[in-house]
């Protein structure tokens, strides 16, 4: 088995895309009766790994029927167009709010370049490749997609982003959650128990829709959640519910921190520091040493989550 490919059972494989650092960003490959689907792709730089995973499992490129990004943030969907170029029979299934951005990724590129600069964009993501419009379609809430007779149910899943859907697999009783169920890095597991935190990255974080989405996920009585950042968490219904409660409590805490600093002149730096301090305190309560290495792992999350909370604070009421 390739060192970046993990067999999760039920025909589901996690692929470490290599983005930023090991075991940080996952794409998933589902295989059923010789047919396959990718759920999230990582960036352009991940595409060789995704194709290598197919080869390692004895699958031809024309065995892939579907490429399904959970949403169009580039660590999840940046490689969709390039991957589609290599998969002659695949169709892309994209949230209706994100479809046009993958068919014509100019706005995605310019928006991200304004934040990171062109050199960093090329280093981290590679130049975006459009998805052919004739091979792409929009998903809809409660859509059921068949992969060789295996049903996959999609739901609209706002909260992290309005262009987000989640995918339910009854066979494994698992949700492919993208970023709607937060992030959980395996380096923070303690005695097999995961620590999880919400991700509020710019620009569409909304706490109440996130709560409603989380409840919809729980209503299916899942036994595991398949996170893009990173891997499978849960293992039982009780553990999934524990993680959901942990995440929602943190949503409340992060929102309260942001609201308390709404008018602070140095709001961003204070919010970023408060978030990082909160993460480290939660990790210590979880049983992790939470030293400098943990602070290094979480520094970028604190930065991006502070930005997302500030966009939410400053957004006019809908």
């Amino acid at each position: 088995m390739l060192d970046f490919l993990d067999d999760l059972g039920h025909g589901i494989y996690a692929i470490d895309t290599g983005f930023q650092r090991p075991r940080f960003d996952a794409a998933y490959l589902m295989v059923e009766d010789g047919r396959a689907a990718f759920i999230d792709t990582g960036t352009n730089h991940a595409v060789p790994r995704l194709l290598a995973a197919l080869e390692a499992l004895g699958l031809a490129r024309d065995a892939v029927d579907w490429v399904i990004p959970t949403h169009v943030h580039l660590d999840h969907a940046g490689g969709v167009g390039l991957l589609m170029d290599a998969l002659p029979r695949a169709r892309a299934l994209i949230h209706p709010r994100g479809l046009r951005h993958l068919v014509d990724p100019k706005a995605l590129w310019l928006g991200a370049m304004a934040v990171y600069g062109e050199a960093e964009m090329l280093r981290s993501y590679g130049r975006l490749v459009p998805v052919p419009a004739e091979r792409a379609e929009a998903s809809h809430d409660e859509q059921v997609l068949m992969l060789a007779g295996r049903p996959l149910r999609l739901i609209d899943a706002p909260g992290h982003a309005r262009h987000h859907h989640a995918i339910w697999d009854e066979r494994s009783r698992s949700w492919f959650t993208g970023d709607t169920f937060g992030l959980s890095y395996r380096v923070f597991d303690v005695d097999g128990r995961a620590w999880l935190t919400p991700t509020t990255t710019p620009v569409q974080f909304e706490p109440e829709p996130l709560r409603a989405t989380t409840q919809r996920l729980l209503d299916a009585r899942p036994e595991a959640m398949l996170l893009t950042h990173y891997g499978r968490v849960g293992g039982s219904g009780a553990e999934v519910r524990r993680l959901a409660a942990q995440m929602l409590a943190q949503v409340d805490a992060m929102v309260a921190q942001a609201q308390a600093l709404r008018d602070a002149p140095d709001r961003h730096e204070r919010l970023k520091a408060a978030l990082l301090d909160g993460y480290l305190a939660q990790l210590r309560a979880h049983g992790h040493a939470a030293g400098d290495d943990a602070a290094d792992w979480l520094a970028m999350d604190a930065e991006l989550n502070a930005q997302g909370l500030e966009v939410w604070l400053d957004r006019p009421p809908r």
Side-chain angles (χ1 to χ4, degrees), residues 258 267-268 271 305-315:
R267 181 177 72 181
H268 179 73
L271 180 55
N305 287 344
Q307 290 180 27
L309 286 162
E310 289 180 285
V311 171
W312 168 72
L313 276 178
D314 295 339
R315 185 180 299 133

Side-chain angles (χ1 to χ4, degrees), residues 97 156 158-159 161-162 204-209 312 315-318:
R97 289 181 178 267
D156 186 31
R162 296 174 193 158
Q204 293 180 346
F205 168 67
E206 296 170 299
E208 290 312 310
W312 168 72
R315 185 180 299 133
R318 295 181 69 187

Side-chain angles (χ1 to χ4, degrees), residues 9 20 36 52 58 61 65 67 76 96 103 108 117 197 203 218 228 233 236 242 245 266 271 275 284 296 306:
Q20 302 291 9
R61 295 183 182 185
D65 292 331
V67 176
H76 299 253
V103 171
L108 277 180
T197 190
V203 293
L218 294 177
T228 302
V233 298
S236 70
R242 180 188 75 84
D266 52 352
L271 180 55
L275 290 173
R284 286 189 284 270
D296 290 344

Side-chain angles (χ1 to χ4, degrees), residues 117-177:
E118 185 170 16
E120 177 60 23
M121 283 294 296
L122 292 172
R123 186 188 74 83
S124 289
Y125 301 102
R127 195 167 297 279
L128 303 182
V129 175
V131 175
E134 66 277 9
R135 297 177 61 199
E137 59 189 84
S139 67
H140 60 82
D141 190 43
E142 294 293 353
Q143 178 174 359
V144 176
L145 176 77
M146 290 294 182
L147 177 66
R150 180 173 180 169
L152 298 174
R153 179 167 68 96
L154 289 88
I155 66 165
D156 186 31
H160 172 77
R162 296 174 193 158
H163 49 85
H164 204 306
H165 52 207
I167 300 99
W168 169 248
D169 174 47
E170 180 70 26
R171 174 89 54 81
S172 62
R173 299 207 61 78
S174 301
W175 284 103
F176 295 88
T177 63

Side-chain angles (χ1 to χ4, degrees), residues 10-313:
H10 302 286
I12 300 170
Y13 299 84
I15 302 167
D16 178 2
T17 70
F19 181 63
Q20 302 291 9
R21 54 184 179 237
R23 297 301 193 265
F24 174 76
D25 185 71
Y28 291 95
L29 176 62
M30 177 180 284
V31 181
E32 181 71 16
D33 195 22
R35 308 307 300 171
F38 283 105
I39 300 173
D40 279 347
T41 66
T43 72
N44 280 332
H45 304 315
V47 170
R49 290 190 176 198
L50 273 56
L51 298 176
L54 287 176
E55 183 175 357
L57 296 171
L59 293 166
R61 295 183 182 185
D62 64 5
V64 180
D65 292 331
W66 294 100
V67 176
I68 312 172
T70 56
H71 59 302
V72 302
H73 289 165
L74 296 182
D75 51 333
H76 299 253
V80 170
L82 185 62
L83 180 63
M84 291 284 291
D85 279 354
L87 305 175
R89 293 187 57 179
R91 294 186 61 78
L93 186 62
I94 304 163
H95 190 282
R97 289 181 178 267
L99 178 60
R100 65 185 176 90
H101 292 296
L102 293 188
V103 171
D104 180 3
K106 183 187 301 182
L108 277 180
W109 176 265
L110 291 175
M113 193 169 66
V115 175
Y116 298 113
E118 185 170 16
E120 177 60 23
M121 283 294 296
L122 292 172
R123 186 188 74 83
S124 289
Y125 301 102
R127 195 167 297 279
L128 303 182
V129 175
V131 175
E134 66 277 9
R135 297 177 61 199
E137 59 189 84
S139 67
H140 60 82
D141 190 43
E142 294 293 353
Q143 178 174 359
V144 176
L145 176 77
M146 290 294 182
L147 177 66
R150 180 173 180 169
L152 298 174
R153 179 167 68 96
L154 289 88
I155 66 165
D156 186 31
H160 172 77
R162 296 174 193 158
H163 49 85
H164 204 306
H165 52 207
I167 300 99
W168 169 248
D169 174 47
E170 180 70 26
R171 174 89 54 81
S172 62
R173 299 207 61 78
S174 301
W175 284 103
F176 295 88
T177 63
D179 282 342
T180 59
F181 203 72
L183 53 85
S184 179
Y185 302 129
R186 303 282 60 80
V187 295
F188 297 140
D189 290 356
V190 175
D191 297 329
R193 286 165 66 84
W195 174 77
L196 184 144
T197 190
T199 172
T200 65
T201 51
V203 293
Q204 293 180 346
F205 168 67
E206 296 170 299
E208 290 312 310
L210 182 59
R211 283 187 162 278
T213 291
T214 302
Q215 187 57 56
R216 286 191 75 183
L217 299 178
L218 294 177
D219 286 347
R221 300 197 303 265
E223 296 178 3
M225 300 299 211
L226 300 170
L227 314 181
T228 302
H229 311 292
Y230 177 90
R232 181 174 56 193
V233 298
S236 70
E239 179 65 2
V240 169
R241 291 191 297 273
R242 180 188 75 84
L243 290 169
Q246 181 182 91
M247 185 187 74
L248 293 177
Q250 289 186 64
V251 169
D252 291 343
M254 292 165 70
V255 164
Q257 287 172 322
Q259 289 174 326
L261 294 169
R262 180 187 296 273
D263 299 319
D266 52 352
R267 181 177 72 181
H268 179 73
E269 291 302 319
R270 290 178 62 184
L271 180 55
K272 183 171 66 172
L275 290 173
L276 185 57
D277 287 348
Y279 300 150
L280 297 178
Q282 293 155 23
L283 278 174
R284 286 189 284 270
H286 175 62
H288 191 278
D292 290 345
D293 58 337
D296 290 344
W297 259 86
L298 292 165
M300 182 56 68
D301 291 302
E303 168 65 34
L304 293 174
N305 287 344
Q307 290 180 27
L309 286 162
E310 289 180 285
V311 171
W312 168 72
L313 276 178

